[in-house]
Amino acid sequence: MEGPPPGMSTASGRDGSGRDGSDRGDSGRTVPDRGASGRTASGRTVPGRDGSGRTAYARSAFRRAFDALSAPVATRANALHAGAWWLWALGLAVAASRTTNPLLLGLIVGVAGYVVAARRTDAPWARSYGAFVKLGLFVVALRVLFSVFLGSPIPGTHLLFTLPEVPLPDWAQGVRIGGRVTAEQVLFAVYDGAKLATLLICVGAANALANPARLLKSLPGALYEAGVAVVVAMTFAPNMVADVVRLRTARRLRGRPTGGVRAVLQIGLPVLEGALERSVAVAASMDARGYGRTAHVPASVRRTTNVLTLGGLLGICAGSYGLLAAQGAGYGLPLLGAGLLAAVAGLRLGGRRTVRTRYRPDRWGARSWLVAGSGVAVAVLMIRANAYAPEALHPGVVPLAAPELPLLPALSILVGLVPAFVAPVPEENP
């Protein structure tokens, strides 16, 4: 005997009401059996049964939002603005200038190092971060040596050792060479040197992440000539480091020594030769592009430009000093704002002299705002932390005590990790 048609249940599957296990609509059409999850036999979700369809739609919408927020692979179209990296690094530097706590300074260095490791490329300037770290360690050691040999005004009771003291004339009162060396003065020197070393490392992070050529292209027209000099000075150090590494590797492969005075002299000559060749190539390319050509502007506009630019830069310097100083936060911010307005007005007027165009200018997108904003947020939060936790941010050395890690300032520094998750990922660091 032939079985029932496909999609229909057998007689044994009927219930007491005389209907089979499948549901029928008003038109008599058979609807396949559905489980408790609201899915058909083919696995397709039928919305409106138990909300699983809406859950799947919300899950797909969340996945699309996550894909939109996740960092894409870096291309020429979505590359981060070079100025965003510098604002982020300067924000970390401002935060470092507001504390002498070695734990917070180490956390700032760790944040900068993690972002550099996650988002730097294999360009020559990206390899200079290690050189800045070594320079920071050298600064700490030099600061400690100065404190040991030249003395310190910090009083201390824990004597470490005593150096022979050089007698000085009467007119050199307050200055000594040698003498007692206490643990308090050495610890104070370490704290002070660590702050300066952290500032240098933050600048090194910006130098390793920002493309100097693209930074030059983004400068206003009035600062183009000065920007060229600054960019050339910034790129000299990383290029020199890359040349030294390349020459040391070549000598090591040839079985020649890489240490000692003789090796340094033999490496230094090719490094200088390479620097001279790059200078000639840069000069030729600048001459071919018409560098130095200016337009004619009235004398009154030139004088107004000079006054606004010079006054604005002085206001920025004074305002920055006020923000970095311990007691200048009240007048620093208004003076910095006024200086920025005057400088921007002067740069706008000065840009009329420069007759140049920009090919495919870099755009300041949402990711650039997030990167720059994270650095500014770290600086603002650390400046605010000096109002409610000054003792934790500036631990004392008399009497000797171990520094403590304040929770809120530490969390504010972790905001600086935002570029490691939102900045485009270089192709070599997928």
Side-chain angles (χ1 to χ4, degrees):
M1 184 176 180
E2 298 181 358
M8 299 293 292
S9 59
T10 60
S12 61
R14 296 177 182 274
D15 54 12
S17 62
R19 292 179 298 178
D20 56 11
S22 60
D23 298 332
R24 293 180 180 272
D26 296 337
S27 60
R29 182 175 59 85
T30 300
V31 180
D33 292 338
R34 296 181 176 88
S37 63
R39 295 181 178 272
T40 63
S42 61
R44 181 175 58 87
T45 302
V46 179
R49 287 289 179 180
D50 60 350
S52 61
R54 287 190 292 270
T55 303
Y57 178 78
R59 189 181 297 111
S60 63
F62 176 77
R63 186 179 295 110
R64 289 195 299 269
F66 179 78
D67 293 339
L69 292 177
S70 60
V73 178
T75 60
R76 181 61 182 83
N78 64 1
L80 204 68
H81 198 283
W85 286 122
W86 274 99
L87 288 178
W88 167 79
L90 291 178
L92 294 183
V94 170
S97 67
R98 307 298 295 183
T99 179
T100 56
N101 191 320
L103 300 179
L104 294 178
L105 294 175
L107 187 59
I108 293 175
V109 173
V111 168
Y114 182 81
V115 174
V116 169
R119 290 298 182 266
R120 70 174 176 179
T121 63
D122 59 349
W125 58 81
R127 306 171 189 172
S128 62
Y129 181 74
F132 279 92
V133 173
K134 295 177 182 178
L135 179 61
L137 296 177
F138 174 76
V139 167
V140 175
L142 190 63
R143 180 66 178 85
V144 172
L145 288 177
F146 280 167
S147 176
V148 168
F149 289 101
L150 300 180
S152 174
I154 302 299
T157 58
H158 295 77
L159 181 64
L160 295 179
F161 52 87
T162 302
L163 295 175
E165 187 171 357
V166 177
L168 297 177
D170 296 337
W171 55 266
Q173 293 293 332
V175 179
R176 68 178 178 88
I177 300 177
R180 300 172 67 253
V181 178
T182 62
E184 287 83 357
Q185 76 178 67
V186 172
L187 188 61
F188 178 79
V190 170
Y191 287 176
D192 197 27
K195 180 169 70 172
L196 181 56
T198 306
L199 294 175
L200 292 174
I201 291 174
C202 291
V203 174
N207 197 21
L209 293 170
N211 189 334
R214 295 178 60 186
L215 180 64
L216 171 63
K217 186 174 66 173
S218 303
L219 288 177
L223 296 179
Y224 185 68
E225 290 82 358
V228 170
V230 173
V231 170
V232 170
M234 287 168 46
T235 55
F236 174 76
N239 285 326
M240 184 180 66
V241 171
D243 288 345
V244 170
V245 172
R246 177 175 53 84
L247 292 172
R248 285 172 61 91
T249 304
R251 289 180 62 86
R252 191 180 298 111
L253 293 176
R254 293 184 177 95
R256 298 180 181 178
T258 58
V261 179
R262 183 177 180 182
V264 171
L265 295 177
Q266 292 177 352
I267 292 175
L269 183 59
V271 169
L272 294 178
E273 182 181 358
L276 180 60
E277 292 178 354
R278 280 194 301 270
S279 301
V280 173
V282 169
S285 62
M286 292 169 60
D287 182 71
R289 289 170 174 82
Y291 173 79
R293 299 176 183 175
T294 58
H296 176 72
V297 293
S300 59
V301 174
R302 291 199 301 270
R303 286 192 291 269
T304 305
T305 301
N306 295 334
V307 171
L308 289 176
T309 304
L310 182 59
L313 293 179
L314 290 177
I316 292 174
C317 293
S320 301
Y321 176 79
L323 290 178
L324 296 177
Q327 294 83 14
Y331 70 88
L333 190 60
L335 193 59
L336 179 62
L340 285 175
L341 292 178
V344 169
L347 294 178
R348 294 280 295 181
L349 289 176
R352 298 180 181 181
R353 298 180 62 249
T354 304
V355 285
R356 69 185 184 95
T357 59
R358 297 177 182 174
Y359 175 68
R360 298 174 66 181
D362 294 334
R363 301 187 181 278
W364 196 283
R367 298 184 186 276
S368 299
W369 282 111
L370 288 175
V371 171
S374 64
V376 174
V378 172
V380 172
L381 291 175
M382 286 296 291
I383 292 174
R384 176 60 182 162
N386 279 267
Y388 62 83
E391 295 83 6
L393 267 64
H394 302 278
V397 296
V398 180
L400 286 176
E404 298 179 357
L405 181 64
L407 180 59
L408 292 181
L411 292 178
S412 65
I413 293 174
L414 294 180
V415 178
L417 291 173
V418 170
F421 303 99
V422 302
V425 182
E427 293 183 358
E428 61 273 10
N429 295 329

